Amino acid sequence: ARPIKAGRTRRTLHMLLTIAAELLPYSSLLSTSSFLLNAAFRPAPLSTIISTVVEAAKAVPAAACNLASFGFTISLGLAMLCVPLVISTCVWTVWTLAAVGPARKTLSTILMCGLGPIVLPLLSSIVLGIAWVAFSVLAAAAATLLPCVVLISALYWGLVSAAEFRTRERRKPQDGAQDITFTEMLLAIFAAATSLA
């Protein structure tokens, strides 16, 4: 019954990832994830896994581009919703200035109400476009370089910690630790094995 359950699990995961791949723009990454999940249940040759990882790395720029366009669309839409609030806040602030006369307040209000709906969306789209392009480049660079940096850092930290531990242990006096002998260990294993039978 166990192989059938693993097969069902693999098919279910594959079906869910296939459905998600049709709905999301990251289909190449999801199909790669699906392949890697299948490989976890059914061992694949190393060359196939390496080629799949290379294909996933090739898909990173496209996924980052999709992320940038999606993020730009959402943030620009939210910025457009804020335009009336920004214009009304600016008008309200201008009319509370004590040092400015009513003629300048009126002219400022007309300019803000006339140019604000044109200038604010234009400036928002330029600033958000630049920000999301920079973010997508950083996300692609992080997706490519961050795993290597994390792996090298973890290896370095583990090796240095192990070396320090060995050095500390060598400095301790070696006066024979209170431990069991091999004979006592073999007797304990024998007793445990016979109690199971």
Side-chain angles (χ1 to χ4, degrees):
R2 194 162 190 88
I4 294 172
K5 187 173 183 180
R8 285 184 192 160
T9 304
R10 182 172 20 99
R11 283 193 299 272
T12 304
L13 287 172
H14 189 285
M15 181 182 66
L16 289 173
L17 287 172
T18 304
I19 291 170
E22 292 173 0
L23 298 176
L24 296 173
Y26 306 108
S27 60
S28 61
L29 290 176
L30 289 172
S31 63
T32 302
S33 302
S34 171
F35 174 79
L36 290 175
L37 281 172
N38 284 337
F41 289 104
R42 176 184 36 86
L46 184 61
S47 62
T48 308
I49 293 174
I50 291 173
S51 66
T52 303
V53 170
V54 169
E55 289 298 320
K58 288 179 183 175
V60 167
C65 185
N66 289 339
L67 174 69
S69 62
F70 180 73
F72 174 76
T73 304
I74 295 295
S75 55
L76 186 62
L78 291 173
M80 293 305 105
L81 290 175
C82 294
V83 167
L85 179 64
V86 170
I87 292 173
S88 62
T89 302
C90 289
V91 169
W92 188 9
T93 305
V94 164
W95 280 93
T96 57
L97 294 174
V100 178
R104 285 176 54 192
K105 288 180 184 178
T106 305
L107 180 62
S108 297
T109 302
I110 291 171
L111 286 175
M112 279 187 261
C113 291
L115 295 178
I118 299 167
V119 173
L120 286 177
L122 182 65
L123 286 177
S124 298
S125 62
I126 291 170
V127 170
L128 290 172
I130 291 170
W132 277 103
V133 166
F135 177 71
S136 68
V137 168
L138 289 175
T144 306
L145 299 177
L146 197 60
C148 296
V149 170
V150 168
L151 179 66
I152 290 170
S153 300
L155 281 174
Y156 176 77
W157 176 78
L159 293 174
V160 168
S161 297
E164 289 173 359
F165 177 77
R166 287 191 304 268
T167 304
R168 280 194 312 267
E169 287 298 314
R170 282 188 197 125
R171 291 183 183 157
K172 290 182 181 178
Q174 301 289 329
D175 56 348
Q178 299 295 325
D179 202 2
I180 63 171
T181 64
F182 280 108
T183 307
E184 292 171 338
M185 182 181 66
L186 290 174
L187 285 174
I189 291 172
F190 178 72
T194 57
S195 69
L196 291 177

